[in-house]
Amino acid sequence: MPSLSALVLLGASLVATTHAIGPDCVNGPLKSNKICDVKATPSQRAAALVAAMETQEKLNNLMSKSKGVPRLGLPAYNWWGEALHGVAGAPGINFTGQYSTATSFPMPLLMSAAFDDDLVHDIGNIIGNEARAFGNGGVAPVDYWTPDINPFRDPRWGRGSETPGEDITRIKGYTKSLLSGLEGDKAQRKIIATCKHYVGYDMESWGGTDRHHFDAKINVQDLAEYYMQPFQQCARDSKVGSFMCSYNAVNGVPTCADTYVLQTILRDHWNWTDSNNYITSDCEAVEDISLNHKYAKTNAEGTAMAFNAGMDNSCEYSGSSDIPGAWNQKLMNISIVDRALMRQYEGLVRAGYFDGAVATYAGLGVKDINTKEAQRLSLQVAAEGLVMLKNDKTLPLPLTVGAKVAMVGFWANDSSKLSGIYSGPAPYLHSPVYAGKQLSLNMAVASGPVLQNSSARDNWTTNALNAAQGSDYILYFGGLDTSAAAEGSDRNSISWPMAQVDLITKLAKLGKPLVVVVLGDMMDNSPLLSMKGVNSIVWANWPGQDGGSAVMQVLSGAMAVAGRLPITQYPANYTKLSMLDMNLRAGANSPGRTYRWFNAAVQPFGFGLHYTTFAARFGSGKGLTLNIQDLMHNCTKQYLDMCDIPALEVAVTNKGNATSDFVALAFIKGEAGPKPYPLKTLVSYARLREIAGSQTKVAALKLTLGSLARVDPSGNTVMYPGEYSLLLDEPTQAVLKLTITGKQTLLDEWPQPPSNATSYRR
């Protein structure tokens, strides 16, 4: 979705109530309408409101900047809220007065690197509390278009750090935990979360094609196994409040006009059928149907296609769909209009929008923004997510009071670089230099370059070398900022900018302990991994409001490092592969995508070093035999892939002295089912906390039938009997033989695309 620099007011016609959201159900014109009757069912309440509207009033409320109905006392409402990693700028949000800041957590990719779903839930709870507080204060809606859960398929994608990474198991775990925190566990929703961008959206602009024109060619197997799976978690399993259809087309059909995507799969197959579940377009995507995809002859026709296919709200800046034209030309009827309005307003009913002071979450307010708990969690997750990629025992550093430290690099003392995209104004932004001052370090500070610019005058090397020569330790804060890629732009290179490599090389030749802390999207670290004078490398992505403090706590050893890469670190020449190639499996023109199909990573998904040595083993070393039919016999789950399997017990021993967390990762590998076979697949994970020296801790890694299954070429999820291996850790520390017996069993039959949609075939 497009980010905006300008913030606009939620709507001038908000009516004053005990809480600033919603209509006045006590003294206003709607007080006698059933929409205000808290004892009526949500569907009855929404139906009463829609029935009271005249036709033109209905049409006025089918877009993100809904005009409301002044005649009825229904205020204007802007559906466009953002809260990717904290409440963020959007047309529906006004940062003002007591609502001028919001907690800014790290970008989702770094939070995902912690592999700590309990922590993700707690962060979702904080974001949900603050988002609802903004809504209760009348400066924001109660629906937010977050999270972004498209798999991070290609390292060049400008929005990849908005996501939890490349692996489906990790994305689903993160999404499940985040949504439960955002929306809450009550009958009413705290906020309405929105899973986006549905589906096949993971590029901005590359090779002359942009997201508004891109037609993603995806075969059924990849669609069902990979691109759709995070959204299955949202719809079928988490029952999220809303979805967003994406700009792109899939196999020739724009997603916002695709009945196969919006109806056959989302609503019919995944049973996302509650009458409060609404679908919004991405912003301006409705116009793309005719203007860019040429799927409709006119905007009116494209608008009607989207609403008829199941979209319920057109997100727009100022007006890009043609709802009046679609209506006047009789391209959509009143039942479609009413259906869309029912879904939208019942969604608001279920979020307590019409309930004033008696709404479940009406008590959330200014006191719930930037709490001590929010501050603690923002620091904790930033530290937990840091990933150490190289260390020759230089780290942790003895950063005692007065230690002479060179703080070099473009973000060493620039707090504006910490937050990444889709960030609201944070209550504070603590840079590494700020954190160094709290440690009473004797710092020499020098900036540095970001991107390569041959015309730029080198005004950094002399200052950097002077700072380093007078110090005992050199900390280099480099990498990328959002100028390298962001929404609307992808990267063409995943190499380190040579201006930075040249500076690091000169610093390395000084022979002093040199630690490189990498900001932003992942690059090919090969030059630094092989450079003798670079002692340690830590990846920090975008660490949020307390990012500098988190980094310095980890570098000093106050907190031990235990994060794992949630993405593959690809070699620089990977960019030879077309970014428009959506196929996952290796082929004549592709080396494969993600750790499951690509076998030449610089550093693989799941990699991460520690300040100590861990020995990890399976609780049972004798092998494991599971019978498919026995496992299914006692299963009471609605969906067979959700049937539980006995958990995998793992034991982790700290062989050193430093107390540290450890992320246990379990993968499966085998040659059963359709070829080609994945190199390995993550099936479960858990973060074990604070394992002291010589201590052993045990975890039970949860499994389901679906986690051990494969997807066939038709998209069906199938349990195949055969011999498998379970692999523990990255790199592998232990192997457990797994024998699956019984009859081959279909767990989920995938709906086949229309017969004329040939692009779904290989």
Side-chain angles (χ1 to χ4, degrees):
M1 301 173 37
S3 55
L4 296 177
S5 58
L7 302 175
V8 299
L9 291 175
L10 177 62
S13 60
L14 283 172
V15 179
T17 59
T18 305
H19 291 266
I21 61 169
D24 184 350
C25 276
V26 177
N27 300 305
L30 273 180
K31 64 181 181 180
S32 59
N33 188 289
K34 191 169 285 188
I35 189 68
C36 291
D37 182 0
V38 297
K39 296 181 180 179
T41 67
S43 60
Q44 289 172 337
R45 296 175 69 181
L49 176 62
V50 173
M53 294 181 180
E54 296 175 354
T55 299
Q56 187 56 52
E57 293 168 340
K58 292 179 179 182
L59 300 179
N60 289 343
N61 288 282
L62 292 175
M63 66 290 294
S64 54
K65 293 177 69 173
S66 298
K67 295 180 180 180
V69 184
R71 177 181 63 85
L72 297 177
L74 180 68
Y77 183 84
N78 197 322
W79 294 79
W80 189 347
E82 297 286 357
L84 178 70
H85 53 119
V87 179
I93 299 175
N94 182 28
F95 288 95
T96 184
Q98 293 178 301
Y99 298 94
S100 60
T101 66
T103 305
S104 185
F105 291 95
M107 285 290 280
L109 193 64
L110 189 68
M111 291 196 282
S112 178
F115 283 85
D116 188 342
D117 286 346
D118 290 338
L119 181 57
V120 169
H121 172 272
D122 292 344
I123 289 168
N125 183 54
I126 292 291
I127 296 173
N129 287 348
E130 294 195 4
R132 184 52 183 255
F134 270 69
N136 288 343
V139 295
V142 295
D143 70 293
Y144 289 80
W145 293 344
T146 191
D148 180 347
I149 57 169
N150 297 107
F152 197 173
R153 167 189 62 99
D154 190 291
R156 292 164 284 189
W157 185 25
R159 301 182 69 177
S161 287
E162 290 185 27
T163 79
E166 71 180 42
D167 176 74
I168 295 304
T169 297
R170 180 70 199 106
I171 297 172
K172 291 172 80 170
Y174 177 100
T175 301
K176 177 182 178 181
S177 297
L178 185 74
L179 289 177
S180 65
L182 288 173
E183 294 196 328
D185 58 0
K186 310 297 184 185
Q188 279 190 359
R189 285 191 171 96
K190 186 189 305 179
I191 63 169
I192 305 169
T194 305
C195 288
K196 64 183 188 184
H197 312 81
Y198 181 65
V199 63
Y201 169 55
D202 52 17
M203 64 85 65
E204 302 301 301
S205 182
W206 182 90
T209 299
D210 66 31
R211 59 186 179 170
H212 296 280
H213 294 79
F214 182 47
D215 180 13
K217 304 295 186 182
I218 309 175
N219 64 66
V220 178
Q221 187 175 33
D222 286 346
L223 187 74
E225 178 184 57
Y226 191 68
Y227 296 101
M228 283 284 190
Q229 278 300 303
F231 297 100
Q232 176 178 286
Q233 175 63 52
C234 286
R236 193 193 74 177
D237 303 330
S238 292
K239 298 295 184 184
V240 72
S242 71
F243 261 62
M244 174 182 284
C245 53
S246 53
Y247 292 121
N248 58 282
V250 172
N251 297 317
V253 185
T255 64
C256 291
D258 192 342
T259 54
Y260 176 64
V261 167
L262 300 186
Q263 185 65 42
T264 304
I265 296 175
L266 176 56
R267 296 192 188 276
D268 296 342
H269 187 59
W270 290 337
N271 292 318
W272 195 66
T273 54
D274 287 351
S275 52
N276 67 95
N277 296 142
Y278 78 87
I279 300 171
T280 179
S281 75
D282 205 336
C283 302
E284 314 291 275
V286 170
E287 188 175 37
D288 286 343
I289 296 170
S290 58
L291 181 65
N292 296 319
H293 293 299
K294 310 299 183 184
Y295 191 72
K297 294 179 181 179
T298 66
N299 194 8
E301 183 180 335
T303 298
M305 283 182 175
F307 280 101
N308 291 337
M311 187 198 76
D312 306 299
N313 185 294
S314 177
C315 176
E316 306 172 3
Y317 289 107
S318 57
S320 57
S321 64
D322 188 3
I323 293 170
W327 175 258
N328 292 333
Q329 296 171 41
K330 296 181 170 53
L331 299 175
M332 63 180 185
N333 59 37
I334 195 65
S335 65
I336 295 297
V337 173
D338 286 353
R339 181 183 70 179
L341 293 172
M342 277 289 297
R343 289 169 175 170
Q344 292 181 99
Y345 286 113
E346 187 175 337
L348 291 181
V349 169
R350 291 179 181 267
Y353 175 76
F354 295 94
D355 294 357
V358 300
T360 301
Y361 293 101
L364 292 170
V366 173
K367 70 182 188 311
D368 300 292
I369 299 172
N370 188 32
T371 63
K372 293 294 184 183
E373 178 70 358
Q375 295 174 11
R376 184 186 70 80
L377 291 176
S378 66
L379 174 61
Q380 180 184 347
V381 73
E384 282 196 12
L386 297 178
V387 184
M388 187 162 65
L389 303 176
K390 178 181 180 179
N391 192 30
D392 62 359
K393 298 185 179 180
T394 294
L395 289 179
L397 292 172
L399 298 182
T400 55
V401 173
K404 295 181 179 180
V405 182
M407 307 287 279
V408 179
F410 73 86
W411 64 283
N413 197 29
D414 188 349
S415 60
S416 70
K417 304 294 186 181
L418 297 173
S419 295
I421 58 179
Y422 277 89
S423 301
Y428 53 80
L429 290 166
H430 290 160
S431 70
V433 168
Y434 169 91
K437 290 178 181 177
Q438 309 311 301
L439 296 173
S440 299
L441 302 180
N442 183 0
M443 294 179 291
V445 182
S447 190
V450 185
L451 300 182
Q452 185 67 26
N453 186 342
S454 58
S455 63
R457 182 174 63 88
D458 182 347
N459 60 1
W460 54 79
T461 298
T462 298
N463 292 338
L465 292 177
N466 287 340
Q469 286 168 344
S471 301
D472 296 325
Y473 309 104
I474 307 170
L475 304 184
Y476 178 79
F477 298 92
L480 301 175
D481 65 6
T482 54
S483 66
E487 182 164 10
S489 63
D490 297 310
R491 290 189 287 169
N492 291 315
S493 171
I494 57 173
S495 299
W496 270 81
M498 284 308 301
Q500 292 196 51
V501 174
D502 290 345
L503 178 56
I504 294 170
T505 300
K506 292 171 183 175
L507 293 171
K509 290 180 179 178
L510 297 178
K512 298 184 179 185
L514 171 59
V515 178
V516 176
V517 187
V518 187
L519 190 81
D521 290 321
M522 185 62 63
M523 296 177 287
D524 178 357
N525 286 320
S526 296
L528 307 189
L529 291 169
S530 61
M531 193 180 294
K532 185 177 179 181
V534 175
N535 304 99
S536 305
I537 303 172
V538 174
W539 177 62
N541 192 239
W542 279 280
Q545 67 184 35
D546 228 351
S549 301
V551 167
M552 295 305 292
Q553 286 196 14
V554 166
L555 298 188
S556 67
M559 294 185 70
V561 64
R564 302 297 189 104
L565 287 180
I567 48 173
T568 298
Q569 186 184 144
Y570 293 92
N573 64 5
Y574 191 79
T575 56
K576 294 178 182 178
L577 174 62
S578 169
M579 196 173 174
L580 310 183
D581 184 346
M582 303 292 285
N583 292 312
L584 300 175
R585 291 156 179 78
N589 300 313
S590 172
R593 293 191 180 278
T594 81
Y595 75 96
R596 297 184 71 230
W597 305 107
F598 178 71
N599 63 1
V602 174
Q603 290 182 310
F605 169 90
F607 183 84
L609 301 174
H610 304 85
Y611 288 156
T612 186
T613 301
F614 286 103
R617 59 179 175 82
F618 288 107
S620 171
K622 298 180 180 179
L624 180 63
T625 299
L626 300 173
N627 180 271
I628 300 171
Q629 279 64 49
D630 287 347
L631 292 170
M632 293 173 58
H633 179 70
N634 295 320
C635 179
T636 59
K637 299 292 178 65
Q638 182 179 359
Y639 304 103
L640 293 178
D641 60 285
M642 297 296 290
C643 292
D644 293 320
I645 288 176
L648 277 177
E649 185 178 280
V650 298
V652 180
T653 302
N654 187 341
K655 308 291 283 188
N657 297 318
T659 298
S660 174
D661 289 2
F662 179 86
V663 174
L665 304 172
F667 300 85
I668 191 171
K669 180 178 182 179
E671 296 185 355
K675 294 181 179 181
Y677 307 119
L679 300 170
K680 63 180 181 180
T681 302
L682 184 70
V683 294
S684 193
Y685 57 86
R687 187 173 180 114
L688 288 78
R689 296 188 173 281
E690 298 184 337
I691 308 174
S694 301
Q695 184 182 23
T696 297
K697 287 195 174 181
V698 175
L701 303 185
K702 297 179 180 179
L703 295 174
T704 63
L705 280 177
S707 62
L708 304 183
R710 298 279 316 279
V711 174
D712 71 15
S714 295
N716 302 314
T717 302
V718 181
M719 195 73 177
Y720 293 98
E723 299 292 331
Y724 299 83
S725 295
L726 293 170
L727 315 176
L728 183 59
D729 204 12
E730 174 54 65
T732 302
Q733 291 201 50
V735 179
L736 183 68
K737 181 180 178 181
L738 170 63
T739 302
I740 297 178
T741 63
K743 296 180 180 180
Q744 177 177 313
T745 302
L746 178 68
L747 301 181
D748 181 67
E749 184 175 1
W750 189 255
Q752 295 305 293
S755 58
N756 61 344
T758 56
S759 296
Y760 284 93
R761 312 304 174 191
R762 285 193 176 280

